[in-house]
């Protein structure tokens, strides 16, 4: 269905597609309209669309639709999230890193993994916790040691708990290691 919607939207004039992206950025009072526009913009699959949808994550009123739109965006979302995971306030970086873990697939895993690994070196505990949480979803045999290092570190109990959860999830996915 995503491909069909994307193909239909590709037939729209560029000006109309840009207008949809701008509508997604507006914090309008008509929440139902914004929710619908976010979902349509998610089907566009462009980097501009990804940036507009990522901006909407900060609005609790439309965050659920923004998350759904991110899933529809696919690799365009991974690139934008990876870029944003390295800059901005720590609470926003933490959300972006968490989303990377949820959204990465085989085609985008390398890009997402690098941003997640970089986030484990972040000085902000909430970003590190999110990075460990993301490893729960995409970590592999190469990241066991990293998670184990946080488990036995002098880090906060929340970070050690996130490391334990990451190790548990990675072990379940890779029992042969």
């Amino acid at each position: 269905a995503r491909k069909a919607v994307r193909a239909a939207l590709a037939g729209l004039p560029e000006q109309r597609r840009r207008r949809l992206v701008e509508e997604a950025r507006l914090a309008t009072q008509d929440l139902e309209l914004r929710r619908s526009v976010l979902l349509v913009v998610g089907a566009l699959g462009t980097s501009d669309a990804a940036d507009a949808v990522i901006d909407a994550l900060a609005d609790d009123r439309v965050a659920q639709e923004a998350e759904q739109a991110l899933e529809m965006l696919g690799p365009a979302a991974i690139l934008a999230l990876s870029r944003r995971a390295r800059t901005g306030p720590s609470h926003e970086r933490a959300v972006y890193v968490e989303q990377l873990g949820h959204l990465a697939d085989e085609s985008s895993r390398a890009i997402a993994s690098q941003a997640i690994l970089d986030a484990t070196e972040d000085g902000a505990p909430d970003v590190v916790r999110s990075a460990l949480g993301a490893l729960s979803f995409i970590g592999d045999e190469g990241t066991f040691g990293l998670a184990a290092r946080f488990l036995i570190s002098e880090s906060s109990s929340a970070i050690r708990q996130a490391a334990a959860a990451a190790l548990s999830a990675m072990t379940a996915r890779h029992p042969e290691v």
Side-chain angles (χ1 to χ4, degrees), residues 23-79:
E23 285 284 332
R25 291 182 194 273
L26 296 176
T28 179
Q29 294 302 319
D30 187 346
L31 290 179
E32 288 307 313
L33 174 64
R34 188 166 184 219
R35 288 179 178 128
S36 297
V37 168
L38 280 167
L39 294 173
V40 171
V41 166
L44 286 174
T46 65
S47 60
D48 285 343
D51 285 331
V53 169
I54 291 168
D55 289 343
L57 284 172
D59 187 342
D60 291 337
R61 301 171 306 163
V62 296
Q64 182 178 356
E65 288 79 12
E67 288 178 7
Q68 291 173 349
L70 283 175
E71 289 179 25
M72 292 189 302
L73 280 159
I78 296 296
L79 291 171

Side-chain angles (χ1 to χ4, degrees), residues 29-139:
Q29 294 302 319
D30 187 346
L31 290 179
E32 288 307 313
L33 174 64
R34 188 166 184 219
R35 288 179 178 128
S36 297
V37 168
L38 280 167
L39 294 173
V40 171
V41 166
L44 286 174
T46 65
S47 60
D48 285 343
D51 285 331
V53 169
I54 291 168
D55 289 343
L57 284 172
D59 187 342
D60 291 337
R61 301 171 306 163
V62 296
Q64 182 178 356
E65 288 79 12
E67 288 178 7
Q68 291 173 349
L70 283 175
E71 289 179 25
M72 292 189 302
L73 280 159
I78 296 296
L79 291 171
L81 287 166
S82 294
R83 203 172 44 248
R84 292 202 184 187
R86 293 175 171 92
T87 61
S90 64
H91 67 278
E92 289 179 7
R93 292 192 321 271
V95 169
Y96 304 149
V97 168
E98 182 180 326
Q99 288 296 321
L100 285 167
H102 290 290
L103 298 174
D105 62 12
E106 289 305 315
S107 70
S108 59
R109 187 176 307 274
I111 293 167
S113 292
Q114 188 57 58
I116 291 166
L117 292 175
D118 291 349
T120 64
E121 301 297 323
D122 195 291
D126 54 338
V127 176
V128 174
R129 236 182 3 260
S130 288
L132 290 166
L135 288 177
S136 295
F137 295 100
I138 68 168

Side-chain angles (χ1 to χ4, degrees), residues 144-174:
F144 274 82
L146 175 66
R149 187 179 87 217
F150 281 101
L151 185 62
I152 61 172
S153 73
E154 297 292 321
S155 299
S156 70
S157 64
I159 289 177
R160 289 193 312 274
Q161 287 173 350
L167 281 168
S168 176
M170 289 187 294
T171 301
R173 272 196 333 279
H174 302 282

